[in-house]
Amino acid sequence: MAFINYVIHLAILIGIYSIVTFSLNLAVGFTGLLNLGHVGFFGIGAYVSALLAVQGVSLWISIPLGALAAMVMGIILAMPTTRLKGDYLALATLGFTFILGSVARNWTDVTRGALGIPGIPKIVKGNTEFLFVVVVLAVVSYLAMWYISRSRFGLTCEAIRDDELAAKMLGKNTFAHKALMLGFSALFAGFAGGLFAHYITFIDPSIFGINDLILMFSMLIVGGLASVKGSAIGTIVLFLIPEPLRFIGFPSSVLGPMREMIFALILLLILIYRPKGLFGKVDFS
Amino acid sequence: MIRVKNLAKHFGGVYAVKDCSFDIKPGKITSVIGPNGAGKTTMFNLVCNIISADDGSVYFKKENITRLPTHKIARVGISRTFQQARLFKNLTVKENLTISRPCSEKEIRDVLEKVAFKLPIDTKGSALSYGQMRLLEIARALLHPHELLMLDEPTAGVNPSVRQELKKILKQLNKEGKTIMFIEHDMDFVMSISDEVIVMAEGRVLMRGTPKQVQKDKRVLEAYLGK
Ligand SMILES: Nc1ncnc2c1ncn2[C@@H]1O[C@H](COP(=O)(O)OP(=O)(O)O)[C@@H](O)[C@H]1O
Ligand SMILES: [Mg+2]
């Protein structure tokens, strides 16, 4: 019975994180935006929804609001930086993540700082039911993101990734496209963050940690840029591979660093033997 | 159609384009020639505001477009290709074309036939040869709604039979009423299809005239041979 519960728990996390990976792919793989703010967007979704929900706001409202807050932040970050050359967007989104972590730690009146927010209401009580909800929401999110990526707007974003100047010369407002796509990317990350908060029922500022960002990028790169299937499978692979460690009986203090070493190893192997990832359509170069 | 007045642009201490003025008449084929480094490509980039001018202005059908962002310049009716073909290399031939504007399969086949492009439309951009890239880039520029077509060295790196093909295409487009302006090094090509030739040297317009006038002009010869 304990084993079943563990499998369900893992499946729920995979469901939530598969949304994260695809949404990261919208920005990085489909549009070529080096978005290092994804844990920030995930964390905003989690915090906004959790804070509202513990005040009694319905989850039907708090989770979408969290996602929208993330989207607005995404667009605001993209507007000044996507006009500039080079990787200003990467710097801005990473800096933004650090600032959010700092706000979450220090704005104690609202966030309770390092104490975190306990007692966040669950979406549904039982984990089996929760898994069902997550599967449905992940499928709906995938359909929505798949639709965005296959739309004319999404195709234009891919063109911008390949050659922004050529896209401009065809009359495309490339800044607006990039800003909106980063907005969509953030929207779904924020949504996943909300689901996470209402599953785990406790969040603290560590949600903005850089380790999670590395995990997200590992899932993306293993699965492959601009691949829908890759986003799902990259997530599954990276969640499952470190799991057997638990059963070997390592103490938890060793488990964390081991996981990270395994991620690094998987990444290295992928970059050496399959530089496009398992299903990638686009080179990293 | 387009009027360029006193355009100037310098990189570091060197002027790539300086005091460059000319106009392009509607319905004509105008070629731009001049030695390497004369500033031809830079002038194209200034017209499209891909690099911003230090000085001077560009008018398109009387509208001052000097400071318009590039995508808006494209929308007023200018389409162009680049000296190095710029394709969307992870997209297919068909997708490359539909980025220009939504179009039917038939329109795609027609435009590809027009430029004598013969590969399957689901070929990826990165799988094309250099010559095919140029043709696809021209096809893409043709699909984009425009009145003025600007081509930067369309025959560079394409084989002689495709060159002949291109000549026909440009003439045909011109017959259909398109205004065309292109930079070119192949003098046979230039002389056989241009209504007017603009000669650039050291960032300025050295002279302009019919192909015959240009061929006879001593200054042009000097510019090419160096003084
Ligand atoms: N981005 C740039 N940075 C520095 N110098 C440039 C740049 N673009 C062009 N130039 C210089 O400007 C001059 C004109 O170049 P260009 O317009 O490409 O000439 P053309 O197309 O007539 O061969 C050359 O001396 C070139 O080296
Ligand atoms: Mg040139």
Coordinates of all heavy atoms in Angstrom, one line a residue, chain A residues 193-228:
Chain A
G193 N 2.7 26.0 -10.6 CA 3.1 26.4 -9.3 C 1.9 26.4 -8.3 O 2.0 25.9 -7.2
G194 N 0.7 26.8 -8.8 CA -0.5 26.8 -8.0 C -0.9 25.3 -7.7 O -1.2 25.0 -6.5
L195 N -0.9 24.5 -8.7 CA -1.2 23.1 -8.4 C -0.2 22.5 -7.4 O -0.7 21.7 -6.5 CB -1.1 22.3 -9.7 CG -2.0 22.7 -10.9 CD1 -1.8 21.7 -12.1 CD2 -3.5 22.6 -10.4
F196 N 1.0 22.8 -7.5 CA 2.1 22.3 -6.6 C 1.7 22.7 -5.1 O 1.7 21.9 -4.2 CB 3.4 22.8 -7.0 CG 4.6 22.4 -6.2 CD1 5.1 21.1 -6.3 CD2 5.1 23.2 -5.2 CE1 6.1 20.7 -5.5 CE2 6.2 22.8 -4.4 CZ 6.7 21.5 -4.6
A197 N 1.5 24.1 -5.0 CA 1.2 24.6 -3.6 C 0.0 23.9 -3.0 O 0.0 23.5 -1.8 CB 0.9 26.1 -3.7
H198 N -1.1 23.6 -3.9 CA -2.3 23.0 -3.3 C -2.2 21.5 -3.3 O -3.2 20.9 -3.0 CB -3.5 23.5 -4.2 CG -3.7 25.0 -4.0 ND1 -4.2 25.5 -2.8 CD2 -3.5 26.0 -4.8 CE1 -4.3 26.8 -3.0 NE2 -3.8 27.2 -4.2
Y199 N -1.1 21.0 -3.6 CA -0.8 19.6 -3.4 C 0.0 19.4 -2.2 O -0.3 18.6 -1.3 CB -0.2 18.9 -4.6 CG 0.3 17.5 -4.4 CD1 -0.6 16.5 -4.0 CD2 1.6 17.2 -4.5 CE1 -0.2 15.2 -3.8 CE2 2.1 15.9 -4.2 CZ 1.1 14.9 -3.9 OH 1.6 13.6 -3.6
I200 N 1.2 20.1 -2.2 CA 2.1 19.9 -1.1 C 1.6 20.5 0.3 O 2.0 20.1 1.3 CB 3.5 20.6 -1.4 CG1 4.1 19.9 -2.7 CG2 4.5 20.5 -0.3 CD1 4.6 18.5 -2.5
T201 N 0.7 21.5 0.1 CA 0.1 22.2 1.2 C 1.0 23.1 2.1 O 0.6 23.7 3.0 CB -0.7 21.3 2.2 OG1 0.2 20.5 3.0 CG2 -1.7 20.4 1.5
F202 N 2.3 23.1 1.7 CA 3.2 24.0 2.4 C 4.3 24.5 1.4 O 4.8 23.8 0.6 CB 4.0 23.2 3.5 CG 5.1 24.0 4.1 CD1 4.9 25.0 5.1 CD2 6.4 23.8 3.8 CE1 5.9 25.8 5.6 CE2 7.5 24.5 4.3 CZ 7.2 25.5 5.2
I203 N 4.5 25.8 1.4 CA 5.5 26.4 0.6 C 6.4 27.4 1.4 O 5.9 28.0 2.3 CB 5.0 27.1 -0.7 CG1 4.0 28.2 -0.3 CG2 4.4 26.1 -1.7 CD1 3.7 29.1 -1.5
D204 N 7.6 27.5 1.0 CA 8.5 28.5 1.7 C 9.4 29.1 0.6 O 9.4 28.6 -0.6 CB 9.2 27.9 2.9 CG 10.3 26.8 2.4 OD1 10.6 26.8 1.3 OD2 10.7 26.0 3.3
P205 N 10.3 30.0 1.0 CA 11.0 30.7 -0.1 C 12.0 29.8 -0.9 O 12.5 30.2 -1.9 CB 11.8 31.8 0.7 CG 11.0 32.0 1.9 CD 10.4 30.7 2.3
S206 N 12.2 28.6 -0.4 CA 13.1 27.7 -1.1 C 12.5 27.3 -2.5 O 13.2 26.8 -3.4 CB 13.4 26.4 -0.3 OG 12.2 25.6 -0.3
I207 N 11.2 27.6 -2.7 CA 10.6 27.4 -4.0 C 11.3 28.2 -5.1 O 11.3 27.8 -6.3 CB 9.1 27.7 -3.9 CG1 8.3 26.9 -5.0 CG2 8.8 29.2 -4.0 CD1 6.8 27.0 -4.9
F208 N 11.9 29.3 -4.7 CA 12.6 30.1 -5.7 C 14.1 29.7 -5.9 O 14.9 30.4 -6.5 CB 12.6 31.6 -5.3 CG 11.2 32.1 -5.3 CD1 10.5 32.4 -4.1 CD2 10.5 32.4 -6.5 CE1 9.2 32.9 -4.0 CE2 9.2 32.9 -6.4 CZ 8.6 33.1 -5.2
G209 N 14.5 28.5 -5.4 CA 15.8 28.1 -5.4 C 16.3 27.7 -6.8 O 15.6 27.3 -7.7
I210 N 17.7 27.8 -7.0 CA 18.3 27.6 -8.3 C 18.3 26.2 -8.7 O 18.3 25.8 -9.8 CB 19.7 28.2 -8.3 CG1 20.1 28.6 -9.7 CG2 20.7 27.3 -7.6 CD1 19.6 29.9 -10.1
N211 N 18.3 25.3 -7.7 CA 18.3 23.8 -8.0 C 17.1 23.4 -8.8 O 17.2 22.6 -9.7 CB 18.3 23.0 -6.7 CG 19.7 23.0 -6.0 OD1 20.6 23.4 -6.7 ND2 19.7 22.6 -4.8
D212 N 16.0 24.0 -8.5 CA 14.8 23.6 -9.2 C 14.9 24.1 -10.7 O 14.4 23.5 -11.6 CB 13.5 24.2 -8.6 CG 12.6 23.1 -8.1 OD1 13.1 22.1 -7.8 OD2 11.4 23.4 -8.1
L213 N 15.5 25.3 -10.8 CA 15.7 25.8 -12.2 C 16.6 24.8 -13.0 O 16.3 24.6 -14.2 CB 16.4 27.2 -12.1 CG 16.6 27.9 -13.5 CD1 15.2 28.2 -14.1 CD2 17.4 29.2 -13.4
I214 N 17.6 24.3 -12.4 CA 18.5 23.3 -13.0 C 17.7 22.1 -13.4 O 17.8 21.5 -14.5 CB 19.7 23.0 -12.2 CG1 20.6 24.2 -12.0 CG2 20.5 21.8 -12.7 CD1 21.6 24.1 -11.0
L215 N 16.8 21.6 -12.5 CA 16.0 20.5 -12.8 C 15.1 20.8 -14.0 O 15.0 20.0 -14.9 CB 15.1 20.1 -11.6 CG 14.0 19.1 -11.8 CD1 14.6 17.7 -12.1 CD2 13.1 19.0 -10.6
M216 N 14.5 22.0 -14.0 CA 13.6 22.3 -15.2 C 14.3 22.3 -16.5 O 13.9 21.7 -17.5 CB 13.0 23.7 -14.9 CG 11.9 23.7 -13.8 SD 11.4 25.4 -13.6 CE 10.4 25.2 -12.1
F217 N 15.5 22.9 -16.5 CA 16.3 22.9 -17.7 C 16.8 21.5 -18.1 O 16.9 21.2 -19.3 CB 17.5 23.9 -17.6 CG 17.1 25.3 -18.1 CD1 16.5 26.2 -17.3 CD2 17.3 25.6 -19.5 CE1 16.1 27.4 -17.8 CE2 16.9 26.8 -20.0 CZ 16.4 27.7 -19.2
S218 N 17.1 20.7 -17.1 CA 17.5 19.3 -17.4 C 16.4 18.6 -18.1 O 16.6 17.9 -19.1 CB 17.9 18.6 -16.1 OG 18.9 19.3 -15.5
M219 N 15.2 18.7 -17.6 CA 14.0 18.0 -18.2 C 13.8 18.5 -19.6 O 13.6 17.7 -20.6 CB 12.8 18.3 -17.4 CG 12.9 17.7 -16.0 SD 11.4 17.7 -15.0 CE 11.1 19.5 -14.8
L220 N 14.0 19.8 -19.8 CA 13.8 20.4 -21.1 C 14.8 19.9 -22.1 O 14.5 19.5 -23.2 CB 13.9 21.9 -21.0 CG 13.9 22.7 -22.3 CD1 12.5 22.6 -23.0 CD2 14.2 24.2 -22.1
I221 N 16.1 19.9 -21.7 CA 17.2 19.6 -22.6 C 17.2 18.1 -22.9 O 17.4 17.7 -24.0 CB 18.5 20.1 -22.0 CG1 18.5 21.6 -22.1 CG2 19.7 19.5 -22.7 CD1 19.6 22.3 -21.4
V222 N 16.9 17.3 -21.9 CA 16.9 15.8 -22.1 C 15.7 15.5 -23.1 O 15.9 14.8 -24.1 CB 16.7 15.1 -20.8 CG1 16.3 13.6 -21.1 CG2 18.0 15.2 -20.0
G223 N 14.6 16.1 -22.9 CA 13.4 15.9 -23.8 C 13.7 16.4 -25.2 O 13.4 15.8 -26.2
G224 N 14.2 17.6 -25.3 CA 14.5 18.2 -26.6 C 13.8 19.5 -26.8 O 12.6 19.7 -26.4
L225 N 14.5 20.5 -27.4 CA 13.9 21.8 -27.6 C 12.8 21.7 -28.7 O 12.9 20.9 -29.7 CB 14.9 22.8 -28.1 CG 16.0 23.2 -27.1 CD1 16.9 24.3 -27.7 CD2 15.4 23.7 -25.8
A226 N 11.7 22.5 -28.5 CA 10.6 22.6 -29.5 C 9.9 21.3 -29.7 O 9.3 21.1 -30.8 CB 11.1 23.2 -30.8
S227 N 10.0 20.3 -28.8 CA 9.3 19.1 -28.9 C 8.3 18.9 -27.8 O 8.6 19.0 -26.6 CB 10.3 17.9 -28.9 OG 9.6 16.7 -28.7
V228 N 7.0 18.6 -28.2 CA 6.0 18.5 -27.2 C 6.1 17.1 -26.5 O 6.1 17.1 -25.3 CB 4.6 18.5 -27.9 CG1 3.5 18.2 -26.9 CG2 4.4 19.9 -28.6

